[in-house]
Amino acid sequence: MNESMNRRDCLRVLGYSGLTAGLGAISSRQLFGRDIDDPSGFQSSVIATHKVENYRDAATLVDGKVIQPRRELPILDQTDVLVVGGGPAGVVAAIAAKRAGVSVTLVERYGHFGGLWTGGLVLLVIGHIVKGGKQVCQGIGEEIMRRLDKLDGAIINRKVGTNPTVDAEAVKYVMVEMIEEAGVKVFLHCWGVDAVIDGNVARGVVFESKSGRQAILAKVVIDATGDGDVFAAAGATFEHRSHNVGLVSRIGNLDQVDREKASGSSKPRHMGSPTPVTGVNWVNMHGPEVDGLDVATLTRMEMNHRKFIWKNIQKTRQIPGYEHVYLVETAPQLGVRITRVLDGLNTVTLADLKAGTKFPDVVGVGGSDGRDHGEWQIPYGSLIPVKTENVLAAGRCICAELRMADLVRLIPNCFVTGHAAGVAGAVAVEDACRPRDVDINRIQKILRQQEAYLG
């Protein structure tokens, strides 16, 4: 096809009558523009007229009840390991499983990777260091950090024994690079809404997107949603918890504060901490303790938090010396910290942390949020549901007691559990066994080969 042909020309050549068959033979580059920065201007064409959505079986109102009819769902993909959730745990799980030699599909509800680390603007990396300054969170998560080291303006305070702060856009970029290099198949803008089950065995996940409701089938499913959406849909038991829900923001022009004018005034509150962008701070928010699974509550939190942040900045601008401070952005992703926690074969406990318990099925080591205690081991059983098969948990929703929640959910520890889940999923596929029956020695060997630290 002539390289100068634009999208409209392409469709004209195909002919609308043969469009459906023809599009499959045309590359996306030919159909939708030569390059991302193509300056040729806006283009639009009719793809189909008088179209009715396929697989459409609308819910109906029957005697005041909304009834959803049974319907066939199209299969979007089939894979060895399906990772649901593209946050720190999910991204590391997908890369680990792919490097271990199986096919992997990663699905994320937002349009980017990183979860609350990026979309939630939780930019401080904390939880990877223990007493004495030793860094215990290694492996693929540490590889992400090393890549950020090489980018200008991507990370600050990256020193031994310290807690660095990242730039969200740099993290998004690095994660895209690593996912593509690994060869992981990706679907963004897909929200996992149900599980495909056969008895108590998960066979895949149902997703909702602009393409409608579709299913992805898999031999092993890794739930890295943070909220345990997948294992809950598959019938696994869990503990439902409340926690503080906040909203992070970034404020700018802090390098332009007139210190002389400000010296006579009280320092304003909620000024946050530095980021790799000069003059820009990220501002955390605890927020109230609420149920992060209640949509009405989430709506109220979102609206209230945005009003509070805006009004606080306006108050700050009234303080002498701070007139040029402004709100750069509020996070597009609400800061939900804990909701569902898996009932697993083993539980991460504070008692084991204090005792320094060693587990024969250790698959990771967690750190401290203040270097005030030693390392703690994560047993493989904390990733495995009590009864439901072919599902692994990763990230903040693994089985951990309430007192450990604020350590388990930290970004480096999500790296660690994601890494373990990804390798375990790959081993289960290769050995054609249930995740609960895998050879733990083999998992540990592969984790070490991928530079994970197991104590």
Side-chain angles (χ1 to χ4, degrees), residues 312-320 322-326:
N312 182 69
I313 288 296
Q314 304 319 305
K315 289 179 182 178
T316 300
R317 289 165 60 90
Q318 302 304 311
I319 299 173
Y322 289 86
E323 295 87 350
H324 298 295
V325 172
Y326 72 101

Side-chain angles (χ1 to χ4, degrees), residues 222-293:
I222 297 175
D223 186 339
T225 63
D227 293 318
D229 293 333
V230 174
F231 66 63
T237 59
F238 59 90
E239 187 166 87
H240 182 182
R241 297 177 184 170
S242 60
H243 206 295
N244 302 80
V245 171
L247 184 67
V248 179
S249 58
R250 293 198 306 157
I251 55 177
N253 274 354
L254 291 174
D255 56 334
Q256 297 185 30
V257 172
D258 188 326
R259 301 299 174 185
E260 185 175 342
K261 288 176 63 178
S263 61
S265 306
S266 298
K267 186 176 180 180
R269 298 176 61 201
H270 309 297
M271 289 290 96
S273 303
T275 72
V277 181
T278 302
V280 175
N281 279 11
W282 76 286
V283 184
N284 202 2
M285 177 196 287
H286 283 167
E289 179 188 346
V290 297
D291 179 3
L293 296 180

Side-chain angles (χ1 to χ4, degrees), residues 15 27 31 37 41 87 108 119 136 138 178 194 198 213 231 237-238 243 270 279 320 407 413 444:
S27 73
L31 183 59
D37 60 349
E108 164 57 37
V136 295
Q138 298 288 337
M178 292 180 67
D194 208 347
D198 179 9
R213 185 162 287 210
F231 66 63
T237 59
F238 59 90
H243 206 295
H270 309 297
L407 280 177
N413 298 323
Q444 292 168 338

